[in-house]
Amino acid sequence: MPAPAPTVPCAAPAAVIAGVQVHLPERTVRVADAERALAARNPGVVPAAGMVERLTGVRSVHLMPDDWQASDLAVAAAEKLLAAQGVGTRDVDLLLFASASQDMVEPATAHIVAQKLGLTCPVMDVKNACNSVLNALEVAEALVRTGRYSTVLVACGEAPSRAVRWDVPDRATYLRSAAGYTMSDGGAAVLVRAAPDHVGPADAAPAGILASAFAAESAHWTIGTLPGGGTAHPRDADRTYFDIDGSRLREAFLALGPGTVLDVLERAGLTWDDVALVAVHQVAVTYLADVHEALGLPADRTLLTVADHGNLASATLPLQLARALEQGRVGPGDVVVLVGLAGGISIGAMAVRL
């Protein structure tokens, strides 16, 4: 396993996560229904319906409207967030569009999101598969720490439904396409602001991003790809679908080990007893057991979302945080740890006091 990237020892937080919102399209599709339709469309190639749901535990996914783009999902979540926080468009210093999905190769989707929101601040895309939001939070915190910006909007629009293969020529292609049938559309937005001067009891720990660490094993990048549209395959329509070896991906993540996550706990001066919630990227229900075992983590410290909402790529962590806040599982003063896993492959972790 690679050593985690150097992380600044825990000091007074420079940035806080001021708010989080998600947008999940109203239209949902049962995975079992999708499997039946797939089998009928590809007789003799796709196995009997129920295999994907049985192996992954994913029951349903969200689908965005046909005339929506990834930017629309990000805008829907961002509008909720700005309204809830009472933040005007002129108050946003920087917009980071963070997503595995994008509207098009050029320009950066952040420009499209900014235009739809009416923002005039600097923008950029941060893209690292399912770790895009977590990496954007890392970038936002670093830029706030330097004093360059004080209010950063991280907006995410994941639209993997546009890259799911429904015409399957053979069994091998089906197996490498199967992960796509559990992927879901959704938007998320997180507001990162400069930490205010600490107020309150002297012994109260200040809120903010406490520590983070990231690592990658990039030799595994071929395990999961969406290869079309770049210089390698600029105009090959058959390369515009997901191509993922699920078993190899699971093995690669297990090989990464828990070092990156445990390093964050150490740098933040925490133990699992101090942590109220661990939001972890979820691709299947069964993968959570791997996480609990690898981290020595009680099962009740995580929040299951993948069964009813599918694999939302980089919108997964904001969804879990938003749901935990809505349900009262976490609140001001609680510590949450965000754990991201992404194709490429990479792992990231961030400890945050709300």
Side-chain angles (χ1 to χ4, degrees):
M1 173 184 164
T7 309
V8 177
C10 187
V16 299
I17 292 182
V20 57
Q21 291 285 340
V22 296
H23 174 80
L24 299 178
E26 292 182 5
R27 181 187 174 194
T28 60
V29 173
R30 302 285 301 181
V31 170
D33 293 339
E35 287 190 86
R36 279 190 286 271
L38 186 69
R41 187 166 176 165
N42 302 273
V45 174
V46 174
M51 188 184 80
V52 172
E53 181 175 358
R54 185 171 63 255
L55 292 178
T56 66
V58 179
R59 296 187 289 264
S60 61
V61 298
H62 296 267
L63 293 181
M64 67 181 182
D66 291 342
D67 60 347
W68 275 40
Q69 307 301 329
S71 59
D72 294 305
L73 294 165
V75 167
E79 287 178 336
K80 292 181 187 178
L81 178 60
L82 296 179
Q85 294 296 315
V87 174
T89 55
R90 293 188 178 183
D91 299 322
V92 178
D93 300 324
L94 175 68
L95 168 68
L96 300 178
F97 177 76
S99 181
S101 303
Q102 58 190 16
D103 282 15
M104 55 189 70
V105 174
E106 288 289 347
T109 304
H111 286 290
I112 303 172
V113 173
Q115 183 269 326
K116 291 177 177 179
L117 287 173
L119 300 178
T120 58
C121 60
V123 306
M124 71 175 85
D125 284 4
V126 176
K127 185 178 179 68
N128 184 22
C130 297
N131 270 347
S132 297
V133 166
L134 195 59
N135 282 127
L137 294 178
E138 176 192 22
V139 172
E141 191 273 345
L143 290 172
V144 168
R145 182 175 291 277
T146 68
R148 186 70 175 268
Y149 302 104
S150 62
T151 302
V152 181
L153 174 61
V154 175
C156 167
E158 293 290 11
S161 66
R162 297 283 166 88
V164 176
R165 184 190 290 271
W166 295 106
D167 293 305
V168 185
D170 51 54
R171 183 61 65 89
T173 302
Y174 164 76
L175 292 174
R176 295 186 67 88
S177 303
Y181 308 123
T182 65
M183 293 184 178
S184 199
D185 299 337
V190 184
L191 193 67
V192 179
R193 309 193 81 165
D197 294 334
H198 182 56
V199 294
D203 59 348
I209 297 174
L210 305 178
S212 62
F214 296 82
E217 279 280 10
S218 299
H220 298 301
W221 73 264
T222 59
I223 291 176
T225 62
L226 181 53
T231 58
H233 307 284
R235 282 170 286 278
D236 187 343
D238 199 50
R239 302 280 188 166
T240 59
Y241 304 106
F242 289 111
D243 187 334
I244 300 172
D245 187 325
S247 61
R248 286 180 60 207
L249 190 63
R250 184 177 187 177
E251 292 169 1
F253 282 139
L254 288 174
L256 279 175
T260 301
V261 181
L262 299 179
D263 180 61
V264 166
L265 286 181
E266 181 179 354
R267 291 176 183 275
L270 302 169
T271 69
W272 287 129
D273 291 336
D274 303 311
V275 178
L277 173 74
V278 179
V280 58
H281 181 62
Q282 298 174 16
V283 299
V285 174
T286 52
Y287 279 31
L288 270 182
D290 294 339
V291 173
H292 295 148
E293 181 178 357
L295 297 178
L297 184 69
D300 64 358
R301 214 64 58 85
T302 54
L303 178 64
L304 179 66
T305 55
V306 70
D308 292 326
H309 302 293
N311 178 356
L312 283 154
S314 67
T316 298
L317 300 186
L319 172 64
Q320 290 174 42
L321 181 54
R323 289 291 184 265
L325 287 165
E326 292 168 3
Q327 296 168 9
R329 288 188 55 170
V330 296
D334 285 332
V335 173
V336 300
V337 174
L338 310 176
V339 179
L341 304 167
I345 64 172
S346 67
I347 183 172
M350 179 175 287
V352 182
R353 189 181 306 277
L354 301 175

